[in-house]
Amino acid sequence: MQEAIDPINTSETMNVLFMFIILLVLIGYFTEQWLGYLNHKSGQAKLPDILNNIFSPERYKTYLKYEFESYKFTTLVSLIKFLLSIFMLLCGFILLDNFVSGITENQVFRGLIFFGILGLVTDLLFTPFDIYDTFVIEEKFGFNKTTPGIYLSDKLKTYLIAAIVGGGMLSLIIWFYQVSGNNFWWIAWAVISGFSVFMAMFYSSLIVPLFNKQTPLQSGLLRERLNQLATDTGFMLKDIYVIDGSKRSTKANAYFAGLGKKRRIVLYDRLIEEQTVDEIAAVMAHEIGHYKLNHIQKSILIGIFQTGIMLWLFSLLVHNSLIYESLGAVHQNFHLGLVIFMILYSPFSMMISIGMNSLSRKFEFQADKFSSGYVDSMYLISALKKLASNNLTNLTPHKLFVKVYHSHPPLLARIQNLIKIRN
Ligand SMILES: [Zn+2]
């Protein structure tokens, strides 16, 4: 009788690995809950004097209610997501893998069907929650402008984009894996990097128009003011657009996107309605700061570097049969390997995201400083205060929550920084 190489030891290692995977999911979930709780408590703290005039007493009560409802809702959704992950690890992934294996022998099609079903079922499962969030919570606090028609068409368009972009990238990567063996990781890296640069350039002109209208700034007082600012800072006025964000929500924003000739600054229509000409100029100077200081290029470069490391690590693990067997799979396959790798990688991806958020907050301070070189920083302060009040922002987020999740510094820190620059 032939014996497999030390079967007891192998199955023990498999069990240990499986327990380790479950432990990672548990730690991830409880960390998230703990940080969310800290932030919720911190969000109810008494406001420091400097922030005291942002909310009227009435608005502050509304904020407290909104914060509490959002917190309860997020906690419920995370609990369901967590239970679903445990179910998938215990039997869901294997059941799905067996089903997919029965359909086709082709690894590319197997991967596509596996992730297609996984993505679609998960999304459909969470759609009722999303509908509740949009049409009940956001509606109750006066934020929602989305109609069921817009909601449905957004969903269908998102599915279509996910199928084309996600499906296309996944097919390519699995195909590289099949034809080039261990070399697949750097070929995939080159393709993903090229694609991310392409998307950074064309996102505003290819994807955004599927959902929103972007129109050039109309002539008038605001245009004249921004024209002056554009001349002062060396930015092209033709690259400033107004987006119809009010189609979905009353929450306002502004952002800078694109690279090189495809750069543009996008201002939400609500921002233009709510803010004075000087405040909008201050916000725009901040966005021009992101452009002048090459923040997009720097973020893309770091992102490309991280993707390379991730794919290389994945290439070291993808051939190891233990990781498939830990879930009970009998054969190696790319899609299960990817799922398990993403869980094993989650502590690193959390650390990377903390690092990226820290860098992003630094960029925000830099752009604020740039803005104050062209427009009196009192206007940026009042613009930020208005945005915070209208969006019912948590003005006192917890320090740890900010460190882990926030790409922007808390309002208080930005105001203090701007006052320091001004004096
Ligand atoms: Zn910014």
Side-chain angles (χ1 to χ4, degrees):
M1 198 179 87
Q2 276 195 335
E3 231 180 36
I5 321 145
D6 205 356
I8 298 167
N9 228 337
T10 314
S11 83
E12 260 176 21
T13 318
M14 268 156 48
N15 283 338
V16 170
L17 185 59
F18 181 71
M19 296 313 281
F20 181 65
I21 290 171
I22 296 277
L23 188 70
L24 280 183
V25 175
L26 274 168
I27 293 174
Y29 172 70
F30 284 108
T31 309
E32 189 191 304
Q33 291 312 299
W34 176 60
L35 290 172
Y37 176 75
L38 288 181
N39 197 48
H40 165 60
K41 281 284 152 208
S42 178
Q44 294 174 320
K46 193 180 169 291
L47 293 180
D49 286 344
I50 197 170
L51 302 177
N52 232 336
N53 56 354
I54 295 181
F55 292 131
S56 67
E58 222 20 67
R59 190 78 181 146
Y60 187 64
K61 275 184 202 154
T62 312
Y63 154 75
L64 286 176
K65 280 186 201 152
Y66 180 63
E67 199 281 328
F68 187 51
E69 286 220 15
S70 310
Y71 172 65
K72 275 194 302 186
F73 178 78
T74 321
T75 308
L76 176 72
V77 172
S78 334
L79 175 68
I80 296 169
K81 277 187 185 155
F82 164 70
L83 293 174
L84 183 70
S85 318
I86 297 291
F87 166 79
M88 290 309 288
L89 283 168
L90 287 175
C91 62
F93 287 129
I94 284 301
L95 288 174
L96 183 57
D97 180 47
N98 287 342
F99 172 73
V100 169
S101 306
I103 298 177
T104 170
E105 285 285 306
N106 185 307
Q107 281 292 330
V108 174
F109 288 135
R110 276 186 182 175
L112 283 177
I113 301 171
F114 182 87
F115 284 111
I117 293 178
L118 193 64
L120 191 65
V121 171
T122 312
D123 190 77
L124 289 177
L125 203 66
F126 286 98
T127 295
F129 295 97
D130 190 44
I131 290 175
Y132 181 82
D133 185 31
T134 308
F135 294 101
V136 179
I137 301 180
E138 295 288 298
E139 180 79 36
K140 192 159 115 189
F141 291 93
F143 290 131
N144 179 46
K145 290 279 170 239
T146 307
T147 60
I150 297 178
Y151 185 86
L152 187 68
S153 91
D154 281 357
K155 197 144 220 78
L156 296 175
K157 285 178 209 165
T158 313
Y159 282 171
L160 196 68
I161 296 169
I164 296 172
V165 176
M169 294 297 271
L170 187 70
S171 316
L172 264 179
I173 294 173
I174 301 178
W175 181 65
F176 292 147
Y177 171 67
Q178 285 185 305
V179 297
S180 59
N182 276 342
N183 286 327
F184 90 94
W185 75 271
W186 62 262
I187 305 177
W189 185 25
V191 172
I192 293 175
S193 303
F195 181 74
S196 67
V197 172
F198 175 83
M199 276 321 266
M201 287 182 80
F202 293 96
Y203 183 77
S204 284
S205 44
L206 286 180
I207 305 290
V208 178
L210 297 174
F211 297 92
N212 283 92
K213 249 194 221 105
Q214 298 172 99
T215 40
L217 197 63
Q218 287 191 348
S219 52
L221 204 63
L222 177 65
R223 198 187 153 101
E224 276 168 36
R225 176 71 182 90
L226 297 189
N227 197 11
Q228 184 57 50
L229 182 66
T231 315
D232 292 347
T233 54
F235 192 84
M236 308 287 267
L237 189 69
K238 68 172 180 53
D239 296 326
I240 302 172
Y241 289 82
V242 179
I243 196 169
D244 59 344
S246 61
K247 189 176 153 186
R248 293 188 184 78
S249 171
T250 62
K251 289 181 179 170
N253 206 346
Y255 62 88
F256 172 73
L259 290 169
K261 282 191 173 154
K262 287 287 168 191
R263 71 185 174 209
R264 64 174 70 178
I265 286 175
V266 182
L267 304 167
Y268 277 53
D269 50 358
R270 285 289 293 207
L271 185 94
I272 292 178
E273 280 168 31
E274 287 160 0
Q275 312 264 9
T276 66
V277 169
D278 285 316
E279 286 164 347
I280 298 167
V283 171
M284 202 187 86
H286 168 99
E287 301 306 333
I288 294 175
H290 283 310
Y291 161 69
K292 286 281 172 183
L293 301 165
N294 296 322
H295 288 163
I296 299 236
Q297 286 91 323
K298 288 174 187 163
S299 307
I300 292 175
L301 269 178
I302 297 170
I304 287 177
F305 178 68
Q306 284 163 8
T307 310
I309 293 181
M310 188 180 76
L311 285 166
W312 174 69
L313 285 172
F314 178 51
S315 76
L316 299 180
L317 265 180
V318 70
H319 297 290
N320 192 324
S321 59
L322 268 180
I323 67 167
Y324 306 96
E325 286 160 4
S326 69
L327 284 195
V330 284
H331 48 260
Q332 283 193 17
N333 61 57
F334 190 87
H335 50 267
L336 274 187
L338 188 56
V339 165
I340 300 166
F341 174 76
M342 290 319 285
I343 299 172
L344 292 174
Y345 190 69
S346 60
F348 299 102
S349 90
M350 177 135 175
M351 285 190 281
I352 289 169
S353 135
I354 292 172
M356 286 303 276
N357 279 334
S358 155
L359 183 73
S360 165
R361 290 193 303 271
K362 210 169 126 192
F363 286 168
E364 291 308 316
F365 282 130
Q366 290 174 355
D368 282 352
K369 191 177 174 193
F370 182 90
S371 169
S372 66
Y374 292 92
V375 182
D376 188 336
S377 49
M378 285 337 276
Y379 293 116
L380 187 55
I381 293 178
S382 66
L384 291 171
K385 282 180 169 180
K386 257 189 213 171
L387 277 174
S389 167
N390 293 344
N391 296 355
L392 291 177
T393 309
N394 179 346
L395 299 179
T396 47
H398 194 275
K399 248 192 238 163
L400 270 178
F401 194 89
V402 172
K403 270 207 169 23
V404 177
Y405 297 112
H406 280 204
S407 61
H408 285 59
L411 183 63
L412 179 61
R414 286 180 81 172
I415 293 178
Q416 284 168 336
N417 181 54
L418 282 165
I419 290 175
K420 208 169 82 190
I421 294 168
R422 196 168 186 259
N423 293 335

